[in-house]
Amino acid sequence: MGNYSSRQQAAQSETPTYFTQEELSKLKSEFKTGGVENVQPLLQKKLKELDKTELNIAVTGDTGTGKSTFINAMRGLCSEDEGAAAVGITETTMEPTGYPHPNLPNVRYWDLPGTGTPQFTTDSYLKKMKFEKYDFFIIVSAGRFTENDAKLAMEIKRLGKKFYFVRSKIDADLNSMRQQRKEFDADAEMRKIRRYCVSGLGKAGIPDPTVFLISSFDNDMYEFPRLMKALADDLPKIKQSVFVLALPNLSVEIIQKKGEVLKERIWMLAILVGGVGAIPVPGLSAACNIGILIGVIIYFRECMCLDHVALGRLANRKGKSVEALKAAAPSPLLGEITADVIVWLCTALVAVSAVASVLYFAPLVGSLFGAGSSFLMAFLILSNALNLLIECAIELLAVAKGAE
């Protein structure tokens, strides 16, 4: 009981995620004067704002550095997948080309033309690429970083934007060294490569640069996970949440982070589900909008890379069938989501613990709760669905790593 009280007090002293203090005050005021019906339009507006939040990520550098392969890796795609960025030895990009995330189209990676080519001198490059539109820049090199890279970084800094240096193809370099030497220390060699990159950038005018050593083919190894964490941490809260949901499931940590982002939205969705066109359903103790519930669960499934298309891509890469993957993590949530599945989700739920969780995220609607309220029922269903999807994603990650 003590833990519940302290958690409730903490919730009431914090601003719910995504809301400014002004928005929170308006929510409380509208709820006091008109109840949940007055709150729903404000929450619908906020959810639409989250859905429409754009994130534009520029990937640039000299030709042949692996920009397209990197973009595909960040989107969870291989070069053979539909919608993948074209991969070629020669420069394949003459104009900035945007590649949307497969499930979150407002997240877009831009493959910029390589610098230092006959088509683009550095000066003309800076003018034509319209740097202002991008949220941050990733400068990729497959060897040493050049004077062009340093000039780009300084221009990006002048515009007040973030940039990150990525040294690609580290796997190929280490494999080549391993074959040539009787004694080989991968960590020591990576330190040498880093010093070489940092030294070159320092001479070109970038003091103390941070360089990430990655392989786009082994994107759960080397410093690919550290890069993704750095990119997320430097973004504003709303864009950070969008970026996290767009990440491929490379680790348990990423999957759990996605779960945290989605859990912060559940209370808003539950208010809409419990009040907009709610109808009784046999087997449920309160009326809910089943159509919205199903749509939200499908959205959760896509964010967790558990939709049929994402499972198909994973199956192809691991030489398995989609049915074999589903058998490894059996759940009704991986099939068609129907009213019967919604009723199934209601089984074995503990209402008291759910109330505590809701109060933690949404103190302003605490007075709505009762064991049979539509809001609480919707919250229970969505929370249970998300927890099960997180478990499925973690199980399939283990299966994928086992296949490797």
Side-chain angles (χ1 to χ4, degrees), residues 310-332:
L311 289 178
R313 289 195 294 264
L314 178 61
N316 288 337
R317 283 197 290 274
K318 303 307 176 185
K320 294 177 176 289
S321 66
V322 172
E323 290 71 23
L325 290 179
K326 289 183 177 181
S331 172

Side-chain angles (χ1 to χ4, degrees), residues 9 16 33 50 70 110 128 136 150 195 205 241 278 317 323 349 360 366 383 385 388 392 394:
Q9 290 171 1
T33 58
L50 293 174
F70 173 76
W110 292 86
K128 189 171 183 179
F136 59 83
R195 284 196 298 269
S241 69
R317 283 197 290 274
E323 290 71 23
L349 296 172
Y360 181 71
S383 296
L388 292 171
C392 282
I394 292 173

Side-chain angles (χ1 to χ4, degrees), residues 125-138:
Y125 187 88
L126 297 178
K127 293 176 182 177
K128 189 171 183 179
M129 293 304 108
K130 299 179 180 178
F131 277 16
E132 293 82 0
K133 73 179 289 183
Y134 306 111
D135 290 283
F136 59 83
F137 294 75
I138 298 171

